[in-house]
């Protein structure tokens, strides 16, 4: 089985709060990546919550909008 790894940036600097706009940008880029790779599934940590300080409901709404059409191929993990 082949695995690939990537990054999903949520902050401009590690000491800052996560930025919802940056989460939206990352999710839209992830959507384009998945559209070009039918059948691929992505597993990732729930972005921007925890030490990022974002409201999980706002992040989920942003992800659902940005990942429309491919969101069922993204598995989010949350502690």
């Amino acid at each position: 089985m082949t695995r690939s790894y990537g990054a999903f940036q949520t902050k401009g600097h590690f000491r800052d709060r996560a930025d919802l706009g940056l989460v939206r940008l990352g999710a839209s880029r992830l959507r384009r990546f998945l559209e070009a790779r039918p059948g691929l599934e992505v597993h990732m940590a729930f972005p921007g919550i925890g030490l990022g300080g974002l409201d999980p409901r706002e992040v989920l709404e942003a992800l659902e909008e940005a990942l429309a059409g491919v969101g069922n191929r993204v598995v989010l993990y949350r502690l």
Side-chain angles (χ1 to χ4, degrees):
M1 174 196 300
T2 302
R3 292 186 182 185
S4 298
Y5 298 89
F8 192 101
Q9 186 173 348
T10 61
K11 300 177 179 186
H13 187 277
F14 77 95
R15 289 189 179 134
D16 295 341
R17 277 181 51 98
D19 182 297
L20 193 55
L22 195 51
V23 171
R24 283 188 180 100
L25 176 64
S28 67
R29 299 269 171 95
L30 178 58
R31 184 192 72 243
R32 289 193 319 211
F33 179 83
L34 287 171
E35 287 171 344
R37 291 158 182 84
L40 185 67
E41 185 175 86
V42 170
H43 293 245
M44 62 187 250
F46 202 109
I49 63 172
L51 295 177
L54 296 179
D55 181 334
R57 294 167 297 205
E58 290 179 350
V59 174
L60 186 57
E61 183 179 309
L63 290 174
E64 287 173 342
E65 285 178 27
L67 294 171
V70 298
N72 61 333
R73 294 169 42 205
V74 177
V75 179
L76 296 174
Y77 294 98
R78 182 175 169 183
L79 291 177

